[in-house]
Amino acid sequence: MRVYIVHYSEIALKGKNRGYFEKKLVNNIRSKIGKDEKPKIRREYGRIVIESDSPEIGEVLKKTPGVRYFAVAVRIDPRMDEITRSAVKLAPDCGTFRVMTKRSFKGFPLNSMEVNRTVGESILKSKENLKVDLENPEKTIYIEISSKNAYVYSERVEGIGGLPVGVSGRVVCLLSGGIDSPVSAFMAMKRGAEAILVHFFNSTLHSPGVRKKIHDIARKLSEYHRLKLYMVPFKDIQLEIIRCIPSEYRMVVYRRSMMRMASMIADAEGAIGIFTGDNLGQVASQTLANMRVIYRASDHPVFAPLIGFDKEEIVDMAKKIGTYEISILPYDDCCSLMVSRHPVTKASLEEVERMEGACDLREKEAVENAEVFEYG
Ligand code: ATP
Ligand code: MG
């Protein structure tokens, strides 16, 4: 029988939480598999076994946080004759190979090294032009032995690693239409956080394309795990900021206003942190001094996982996760259009708070009027 063998990342290290982490991963995989597919999914000695070899499941596993690697394997009885027969079938006709055994059931009569040697010898006997290369072989035959089953395979597929979504709680991710913030939201999910995406939009500035763009990014990110998207109307707040804040300070005040609203949404959703796509020094609002003033507007911790990356590195990640092509479509960011030619780079908190005191920013109202969507 052909099955998927799934190995996970650091879950194994988590001691007492291990069972909880594994169950989350199993549930996450199950919830992503289409309705017609209802394969059996079980935990077995530090791995997950899925009774199916449908390619659709492979596509799901490639995009499930917590999966380190997986393989389609043949499942057989844990007996040396069966193991050897399957391994010989998988061996190439020529070139170099090695056998790597993982024995999670210590009651098996041979240890891993002995299995490697015995199976390797049988493979060599069965084919003429094969050589063993333990360091850098062209093909590796993997054998895994648990108490009731053995598994044999030769192709491992890398997953994205990380932790199963849900084990780290929930976070709000500020999503603009740019390249950075989708990568930041992906990183939150990759480390096990459920993402509540929040976009602030200006209905007059935005071409209809922008709404679609944000939805497309949300849909793409939901391939990793289901998520929610809040679309918060920002036009009235922006107009008020333009009315009462000098142009050099507007960007900082826009961002502070976003932080306050993100905090309200976080409270309503039971989210603990706020993720942004900020990157040190990339634009004027991202000086340390300005970020200090901006982040102070939130009463939740603010995380910027891209803070130390170069733009090229972020672009590479965006391409890998599939958001880049959507992000580069032209759009009018609600803030970039109204940015001053000389924005402050060292905003002072006291000054900004004094200016905001003269504004009537109806943030609670905006959050109440948000549209909420679910993806995945
Ligand atoms: P990005 O590529 O993500 O747009 P950026 O380098 O263009 O980032 P800014 O435009 O200064 O940087 O935005 C910094 C961060 O603030 C974004 O990464 C995002 O997390 C948040 N942000 C900016 N604009 C919006 C918006 N309209 N709605 C929600 N969040 C936003
Ligand atoms: Mg931007």
Side-chain angles (χ1 to χ4, degrees):
M1 177 163 197
R2 286 157 65 85
V3 298
Y4 277 99
I5 297 285
V6 182
H7 283 274
Y8 25 82
S9 310
E10 300 145 55
I11 302 178
L13 307 176
K14 302 283 179 190
K16 275 188 287 181
N17 285 335
R18 180 168 167 166
Y20 168 67
F21 279 50
E22 289 175 343
K23 270 187 211 147
K24 266 271 192 269
L25 183 54
V26 168
N27 287 341
N28 290 352
I29 293 169
R30 213 188 290 278
S31 72
K32 289 169 82 177
I33 294 175
K35 297 216 165 28
D36 325 331
E37 294 266 0
K38 280 275 169 274
K40 261 199 203 150
I41 307 179
R42 280 186 302 115
R43 298 187 278 149
E44 188 178 309
Y45 278 95
R47 63 177 71 68
I48 289 167
V49 180
I50 306 176
E51 288 190 3
S52 165
D53 64 350
S54 149
E56 193 215 335
I57 291 174
E59 291 312 305
V60 164
L61 294 175
K62 274 185 208 163
K63 291 191 169 166
T64 302
V67 173
R68 190 152 66 87
Y69 63 86
F70 64 90
V72 175
V74 283
R75 176 157 75 190
I76 46 183
D77 287 339
R79 296 200 327 251
M80 276 312 283
D81 55 340
E82 293 246 4
I83 291 171
T84 306
R85 193 170 336 126
S86 303
V88 168
K89 264 193 221 154
L90 282 181
D93 289 326
C94 57
T96 56
F97 81 103
R98 71 177 159 183
V99 179
M100 280 180 86
T101 302
K102 209 194 213 135
R103 193 188 54 146
S104 40
F105 172 59
K106 302 299 172 202
F108 193 73
L110 305 188
N111 69 27
S112 305
M113 293 300 280
E114 289 164 343
V115 176
N116 290 346
R117 209 175 311 118
T118 312
V119 173
E121 277 164 13
S122 298
I123 291 175
L124 285 173
K125 258 186 239 154
S126 72
K127 316 239 166 148
E128 282 180 2
N129 299 314
L130 267 180
K131 264 209 199 101
V132 172
D133 180 347
L134 296 179
E135 291 297 310
N136 197 15
E138 284 161 291
K139 192 152 188 170
T140 301
I141 313 268
Y142 298 95
I143 298 171
E144 299 187 16
I145 302 172
S146 70
S147 65
K148 289 200 189 79
N149 299 297
Y151 302 94
V152 182
Y153 58 89
S154 64
E155 302 287 343
R156 274 185 179 177
V157 184
E158 294 295 312
I160 51 181
L163 299 170
V165 175
V167 301
S168 303
R170 205 175 262 188
V171 296
V172 162
C173 301
L174 294 186
L175 185 73
S176 68
I179 294 169
D180 304 345
S181 47
V183 177
S184 162
F186 168 80
M187 285 185 152
M189 290 197 272
K190 184 186 164 194
R191 293 305 303 172
E194 230 179 289
I196 308 289
L197 307 179
V198 177
H199 177 70
F200 300 95
F201 75 100
N202 180 322
S203 48
T204 46
L205 276 176
H206 281 50
S207 58
V210 176
R211 280 181 81 87
K212 180 175 181 310
K213 180 176 185 173
I214 297 300
H215 282 284
D216 286 348
I217 292 174
R219 193 173 302 112
K220 178 51 82 178
L221 288 172
S222 73
E223 291 174 10
Y224 298 95
H225 195 82
R226 65 177 175 277
L227 47 77
K228 259 192 198 174
L229 167 66
Y230 276 70
M231 284 281 210
V232 184
F234 200 45
K235 184 185 79 177
D236 293 346
I237 292 172
Q238 278 187 297
L239 290 176
E240 176 64 5
I241 289 173
I242 290 168
R243 190 188 66 78
C244 66
I245 305 282
S247 66
E248 322 81 88
Y249 278 89
R250 281 177 201 156
M251 184 57 86
V252 168
V253 176
Y254 292 146
R255 292 267 185 272
R256 281 171 55 84
S257 177
M258 290 184 191
M259 282 299 169
R260 283 188 293 265
M261 290 188 277
S263 286
M264 291 177 207
I265 295 171
D267 284 334
E269 287 284 352
I272 299 192
I274 297 174
F275 273 60
T276 82
D278 282 327
N279 177 238
L280 188 56
Q282 196 188 87
V283 292
S285 58
Q286 295 170 344
T287 62
L288 284 174
N290 284 355
M291 283 193 281
R292 171 176 176 238
V293 172
I294 293 167
Y295 291 5
R296 281 284 286 268
S298 161
D299 43 28
H300 293 259
V302 180
F303 301 104
L306 306 182
I307 202 75
F309 288 106
D310 290 343
K311 193 75 189 182
E312 296 78 17
E313 294 172 304
I314 301 172
V315 163
D316 284 347
M317 288 190 265
K319 286 181 177 164
K320 236 191 199 156
I321 66 172
T323 53
Y324 180 76
E325 298 303 324
I326 312 171
S327 290
I328 55 171
L329 298 172
Y331 79 114
D332 297 329
D333 186 291
C334 67
C335 305
S336 57
L337 276 191
M338 294 202 251
V339 64
S340 149
R341 239 182 270 217
H342 302 288
V344 286
T345 50
K346 282 188 200 149
S348 109
L349 184 61
E350 296 68 38
E351 207 158 351
V352 169
E353 281 176 342
R354 187 178 51 73
M355 289 175 186
E356 284 176 354
C359 298
D360 178 22
L361 302 175
R362 306 205 171 152
E363 290 161 349
K364 196 159 165 276
E365 200 176 304
V367 169
E368 280 162 6
N369 288 327
E371 296 167 87
V372 186
F373 304 87
E374 289 187 26
Y375 281 106

